[in-house]
Amino acid sequence: MLDSQLAPTGQAADQRMPILEFQEVSLEYEMHGRRMTILDRISFAVGRSQFVSLVGPSGCGKTTLLRMVSGLLPVEKGTVYFQGQPIRGPLKSVGIAFQNPVLLPWRNTLQNVLLPLEVVQPHKRQFQEKRDRYTKAAQDLLRTVGLANFQKHYPWQLSGGMRQRASLCRALIHQPEVLLLDEPFGALDAFTREEMWEMLQALWQQTKCTAMLVTHDLREALFLSDVIYVLSPRPSNIALELKVNLPRPRTLEMCFTDEFHHLFTELRKHIHRN
Amino acid sequence: MEKFLKSKSANYVLPIAATVVLLVLWELVVRLFKIPEFVLPAPSAILAAWSAWSGVVIQNSWVTLSNTLMGFAIALVTGLLLGFLIGYSKVAYTTLYPLLVGFNTIPKVALVPLLAIWFGIGTIPAVLTAFLLAFFTIAVNVALGLATVELEMQDVLKALGATKVEIFQKVGFPHSLPYLFASLKIAISQAFIGSVISETVASNKGLGYLIVSASSTFDIPLAFLCLIVLAIMGMVLYGICVAVEQRTVHWVR
């Protein structure tokens, strides 16, 4: 929908241009009087509608990269481009979900999902007028994630998995082109997590957004991604770029195939602790 | 029995039963030991005072109630504004907080004579004392509510490009509501204490004044009657605040 407005030159050219590009991105900061390098000249590009994961040891700066895309953290060294433009602040075409679902406790599920539309233009301007349409869009999303019957429930009435699903709906309601996921399922139990993978895959295929996932779970990364970047310990750089060519939609049975296992071993080999 | 203790009606039956037992014991002790009325009047004597003085007591109760509510209302507005200010602005917090703490430690009863000199006796010092006792609790709680907003909650809005005003509207303000309402039930009691204190020192109206004047004429049953009315009024005001709290911030768990 937005593509056509931003790229009148044609779909094909637009498809080939990376939607996100990291160019020589570094991050240093001072701790106890010592200068620490967290990220060391990281460069990679993410194609439109791709699902990309970042994995690596704790403290290697995965979340930092995500925060740079969201505009929550300024990029001091190097540049992050969104559709060819350097990112200098929050972008309305980015949706974000954290490990903690951070739903607003005073809003019910539906109201929580609608929140971005009350803030992001042009929806904010049209919110009163198009309220019914927005509500319907939110209800459609909630139905996709199996929360159709929980619209009027408050966060304290939902389970951890349900809250996270609502949080994903909120991240997607304003039809962002980039979906950022910071360990969104990290706090869930193993079985719920696997359910969430399938649900997230369905949402991603439905919305055709570009997704960038930070995770510690290698199976999760393999299940969901087109490309996985393994970051090395500090000062981090990209240790491995792994393309995952498993067919879509992926199923949990695929996790038990030799091919999946082979990729898993390859990935694990490249992860080293700090 | 166990089933009754867990039921809702136990919440009403048990305290009422305890009150009745207390009153009966009180009556018995006063009669058995022949305690003179000007030391400790029996409940029956207090009841007799009610039939003699009910008009006066009700009239003065209204005065106390209106003083309390006016002081509380001013404290609410001031407390909210101050709370938002020191909760949001680091500079305002650093500058004002020590002053507020210092001011709050002054026993407010010590201010009443000054207030009486500035404003005369009666309503104004009572309202002001009520306000002075109550606003600090509200301000500190509202500030705390703003200061404890989870960073991630703000990040959700910041990542959408929300302005500071929007973040306040959507997150800061609703987040501070439970803190505000928790402080209201304490603040209303403080306002109540403030107005009664001021009435005892600098007024010719109100329950506080009535207690002092009854004591000075050794009409102890009337003084006790005033105390009981005060207790009931205090409980009702507190109860209203709790009810409002439960309705407005039902989402807190």
Side-chain angles (χ1 to χ4, degrees):
Chain A
M1 173 188 77
L2 276 168
D3 304 14
S4 52
Q5 292 166 11
L6 290 169
T9 43
Q11 201 70 36
D14 193 42
Q15 286 292 341
R16 251 177 281 132
M17 188 178 100
I19 186 162
L20 285 173
E21 198 175 350
F22 292 76
Q23 216 174 64
E24 302 265 307
V25 174
S26 298
L27 179 80
E28 295 175 349
Y29 70 88
E30 209 137 319
M31 206 166 72
H32 309 302
R34 270 188 24 227
R35 204 135 182 85
M36 296 244 299
T37 305
I38 309 294
L39 299 171
D40 183 25
R41 286 165 293 152
I42 294 214
S43 298
F44 66 94
V46 180
R48 188 171 291 278
S49 296
Q50 263 194 331
F51 201 117
V52 173
S53 290
L54 299 173
V55 296
S58 323
C60 72
K62 306 181 291 280
T63 297
T64 307
L65 286 172
L66 218 60
R67 288 178 71 86
M68 285 173 171
V69 179
S70 70
L72 289 170
L73 191 78
V75 190
E76 279 162 11
K77 280 194 175 169
T79 322
V80 182
Y81 294 97
F82 171 74
Q83 294 183 331
Q85 298 292 317
I87 293 177
R88 293 218 173 78
L91 296 166
K92 62 182 179 187
S93 39
V94 169
I96 189 162
F98 303 94
Q99 174 173 0
N100 179 352
V102 282
L103 299 177
L104 306 184
W106 46 88
R107 287 172 169 244
N108 65 30
T109 309
L110 183 65
Q111 291 165 337
N112 262 297
V113 174
L114 286 171
L115 176 75
L117 300 179
E118 295 170 25
V119 176
V120 172
Q121 295 290 17
H123 309 292
K124 183 186 168 189
R125 211 178 308 125
Q126 307 163 342
F127 192 78
Q128 288 313 325
E129 183 189 328
K130 291 194 178 168
R131 194 180 201 111
D132 292 344
R133 237 168 86 192
Y134 289 151
T135 306
K136 203 177 155 298
Q139 285 167 334
D140 286 345
L141 269 178
L142 286 171
R143 197 169 309 119
T144 322
V145 302
L147 286 180
N149 296 324
F150 294 90
Q151 294 172 31
K152 299 280 183 242
H153 285 59
Y154 283 82
W156 63 270
Q157 296 168 308
L158 304 176
S159 69
M162 288 168 151
R163 279 181 219 170
Q164 198 51 264
R165 281 184 259 175
S167 162
L168 282 175
C169 292
R170 179 180 61 190
L172 288 168
I173 185 71
H174 56 298
Q175 296 177 302
E177 289 174 78
V178 178
L179 175 63
L180 303 176
L181 302 159
D182 190 358
E183 288 185 57
F185 312 136
L188 304 178
D189 67 84
F191 303 113
T192 312
R193 205 180 303 165
E194 289 174 354
E195 271 171 41
M196 303 293 273
W197 298 348
E198 294 183 303
M199 178 216 74
L200 176 57
Q201 175 176 248
L203 272 178
W204 170 72
Q205 289 192 313
Q206 187 184 318
T207 55
K208 298 188 180 66
C209 63
T210 309
M212 207 168 140
L213 169 76
V214 163
T215 181
H216 282 117
D217 185 339
L218 301 183
R219 292 174 63 231
E220 178 170 297
L222 282 169
F223 184 96
L224 289 162
S225 313
D226 298 315
V227 185
I228 300 173
Y229 290 101
V230 179
L231 296 186
S232 62
R234 282 192 303 264
S236 307
N237 206 315
I238 290 170
L240 175 73
E241 175 181 353
L242 183 75
K243 294 213 160 69
V244 185
N245 288 319
L246 299 169
R248 301 244 186 214
R250 294 179 187 158
T251 59
L252 288 173
E253 286 76 51
M254 278 184 203
C255 302
F256 306 109
T257 59
D258 286 345
E259 198 182 354
F260 193 93
H261 198 74
H262 173 76
L263 288 167
F264 182 90
T265 318
E266 174 74 11
L267 209 51
R268 186 66 192 85
K269 262 198 310 209
H270 284 84
I271 296 195
H272 302 283
R273 297 167 65 101
N274 269 313
Chain B
M1 187 64 195
E2 221 168 279
K3 203 175 164 196
F4 166 75
L5 286 177
K6 279 182 189 156
S7 71
K8 257 199 162 166
S9 51
N11 293 341
Y12 303 98
V13 175
L14 291 179
I16 291 172
T19 313
V20 172
V21 169
L22 181 73
L23 289 174
V24 170
L25 276 177
W26 182 353
E27 185 78 36
L28 282 175
V29 167
V30 170
R31 287 187 185 211
L32 274 173
F33 297 101
K34 300 201 170 52
I35 298 173
E37 204 169 64
F38 63 85
V39 176
L40 181 69
S44 55
I46 297 171
L47 207 61
W50 169 252
S51 46
W53 295 103
S54 61
V56 177
V57 170
I58 289 172
Q59 209 181 353
N60 285 285
S61 300
W62 280 121
V63 174
T64 302
L65 183 64
S66 91
N67 287 345
T68 304
L69 291 181
M70 273 196 277
F72 178 70
I74 302 172
L76 178 59
V77 175
T78 321
L80 269 175
L81 293 178
L82 256 175
F84 288 147
L85 188 68
I86 60 178
Y88 251 114
S89 154
K90 192 90 186 61
V91 178
Y93 178 84
T94 325
T95 319
L96 294 177
Y97 195 67
L99 288 177
L100 283 172
V101 172
F103 181 75
N104 193 50
T105 44
I106 299 174
K108 299 302 170 301
V109 66
L111 291 177
V112 179
L114 271 178
L115 293 174
I117 291 173
W118 292 336
F119 302 106
I121 63 164
T123 304
I124 296 178
V127 170
L128 283 179
T129 316
F131 151 69
L132 289 174
L133 261 165
F135 85 96
F136 183 76
T137 312
I138 300 177
V140 168
N141 267 277
V142 170
L144 185 69
L146 284 181
T148 51
V149 174
E150 291 91 328
L151 284 177
E152 283 185 325
M153 232 181 235
Q154 299 188 31
D155 280 351
V156 168
L157 277 127
K158 273 190 202 157
L160 293 166
T163 60
K164 281 203 157 171
V165 176
E166 279 175 322
I167 296 177
F168 175 74
Q169 280 175 351
K170 308 278 182 203
V171 178
F173 178 69
H175 190 268
S176 61
L177 282 183
Y179 294 81
L180 169 67
F181 283 110
S183 75
L184 289 191
K185 60 185 180 227
I186 300 166
I188 191 80
S189 310
Q190 289 174 321
F192 191 53
I193 293 169
S195 58
V196 174
I197 284 177
S198 179
E199 284 165 8
T200 59
V201 180
S203 185
N204 49 16
K205 274 181 289 182
L207 286 173
Y209 161 75
L210 198 56
I211 290 175
V212 173
S213 94
S215 306
S216 63
T217 56
F218 288 97
D219 193 345
I220 306 304
L222 176 58
F224 264 86
L225 175 61
C226 292
L227 285 179
I228 288 169
V229 173
L230 280 176
I232 293 170
M233 246 166 85
M235 277 170 68
V236 169
L237 289 175
Y238 184 89
I240 291 172
C241 283
V242 172
V244 170
E245 178 182 4
Q246 283 170 350
R247 285 189 169 236
T248 39
V249 292
H250 61 91
W251 40 267
V252 176
R253 281 296 182 286

